[in-house]
Amino acid sequence: MIDVAVVGLGKMGLSHLSMIKAHPDVNLVGVCDATGYLLDILAKYTGVTTYKDLDKMLDEARPQAIIIATPTHLHAGMIRNALQRGIHVFCEKPLVIDPADSIELTALAEQKGLVTQVGYHNRFVGAFLEVKRLLDLDAIGTVNTALAEAYGPVVLKPAGRTWRSERATGGGCLYDYAAHPLNLLTWYLGTPESVSGSQLTSIFSAQIDDAVASTLHYPDGTAQIISNWSDESQRKMTTKITLWGTDGRIYADRQEIHVYLRDTATIPEGYRVGWNVRYTTDLTEAPWFYLRGEEYSAQLDSFVQRAQAGASAGTNDFASAAVTDRVISMISEDAVREDSRLTAEAASDLAVQTAPKGRIAAALSALRGGK
């Protein structure tokens, strides 16, 4: 058994609380949140010990591990507090806002030999795990083009302010939605050399982005990230990955993986030249502990087992999440760089200077309808 505490009782915090409280290897020793009436209800109907102050909970309950599911801007301070006390940490994504904090906290955890994990649950989805396995086998050769997507119906009208609607507190589609496919890209392809063409678009929100687009540059090719949480056509969050390589193509989402292999490919066992389809249900081992969904149960169970064993290195540890934080920061910085854009007027001027005399004028005239 391991003593675990939870801080933050929003949507994901309550979800983690329900799962971790039911885990047969966990003793829930405390729950912390700023909302008094919620704590009162929990204490009355579940019997859990509740706190409004994190320090008090850590001092009195003395958990061996903690689950942090608070607004993003609070993560760094809470994580540092826990690590300095020798407590293993599971934190909801993204890890932190400032990538410098990611590096510092990763180093602190490694120094103390503590187990860390960030809630990028897609790495526990069977289809996305199979993508990683095939890439490690070099099944489609060198990846030259990739597309990572995430869509969902989160913000569908102008709304009042919450922590998610403020840039400084960690809101926005970039942090809440695009972070998931970006985390898959960094898992599959590593850290990009650079990013360009980044656009953060507000659709309904006043202060933050509702849609994200960016190009990530790698030594052998590029990857595009497209994310939109104002997509009413989606019933819930949908994450997709497509990878093109010299020997084939892979497409994957939550439900299945489609693999096309050329006759030049090294064919993995169970696959053949041409199209192959595998389903997440066939690729996922049933977790021995299950509540809510396989990937959510699997990620928390992984954290519990690693904490019990003291296995500091593992899936979604702080070191891997820090890479995603860095790419998020790169996109955010690139999106405000006006000097990186080539305007239509500038492109026309450049064409006039370099094209054979008369051809550019004729082309521009045709574009303008002959005027």
Side-chain angles (χ1 to χ4, degrees), residues 263-321:
D263 56 10
T264 57
T266 301
I267 309 299
E269 183 178 353
Y271 285 81
R272 63 182 182 182
V273 172
W275 281 107
N276 303 262
V277 180
R278 298 286 185 275
Y279 300 99
T280 288
T281 49
D282 298 325
L283 294 167
T284 303
E285 293 185 10
W288 74 276
F289 164 73
Y290 176 81
L291 187 69
R292 180 183 175 181
E294 287 87 351
E295 62 268 34
Y296 291 99
S297 294
Q299 72 169 353
L300 275 185
D301 185 51
S302 173
F303 174 67
V304 169
Q305 292 192 46
R306 287 174 54 219
Q308 286 180 308
S312 57
T315 302
N316 287 345
D317 58 16
F318 280 8
S320 65

Side-chain angles (χ1 to χ4, degrees), residues 30 50 79 91 101 129 283 307 309:
T50 61
I79 292 169
C91 182
D101 286 330
L129 277 164
L283 294 167

Side-chain angles (χ1 to χ4, degrees), residues 229-247:
W229 71 1
S230 296
D231 184 352
E232 191 174 3
S233 70
Q234 305 294 321
R235 184 176 67 86
K236 60 180 182 179
M237 185 179 189
T238 301
T239 303
K240 310 174 184 180
I241 291 287
T242 310
L243 302 157
W244 290 264
T246 52
D247 294 319

Side-chain angles (χ1 to χ4, degrees), residues 191-195 198 325-335:
T191 307
E193 294 181 328
S194 61
V195 302
S198 303
D325 281 355
R326 177 58 181 149
V327 179
I328 290 173
S329 178
M330 291 168 68
I331 292 173
S332 182
E333 291 180 36
D334 181 58

Side-chain angles (χ1 to χ4, degrees), residues 134-135 137-143 243-250 259-261 265-266:
L134 293 175
L135 291 177
L137 291 173
D138 200 31
I140 63 169
T142 301
V143 176
L243 302 157
W244 290 264
T246 52
D247 294 319
R249 173 191 174 187
I250 297 174
V259 182
Y260 181 83
L261 298 173
T266 301

Side-chain angles (χ1 to χ4, degrees), residues 1 33 55 60 62 78 82 97 100 108-109 117 121 123 147 156 207 217 221 224 234 238 253 270 326-327 370:
M1 296 288 286
D33 194 85
D55 284 325
E60 294 184 1
R62 303 181 65 83
M78 291 182 171
I97 295 176
L108 178 59
Q117 192 170 317
H121 61 271
R123 294 198 187 190
L147 174 63
L156 300 178
Q207 304 294 326
H217 299 270
Q224 272 72 45
Q234 305 294 321
T238 301
D253 59 21
R326 177 58 181 149
V327 179

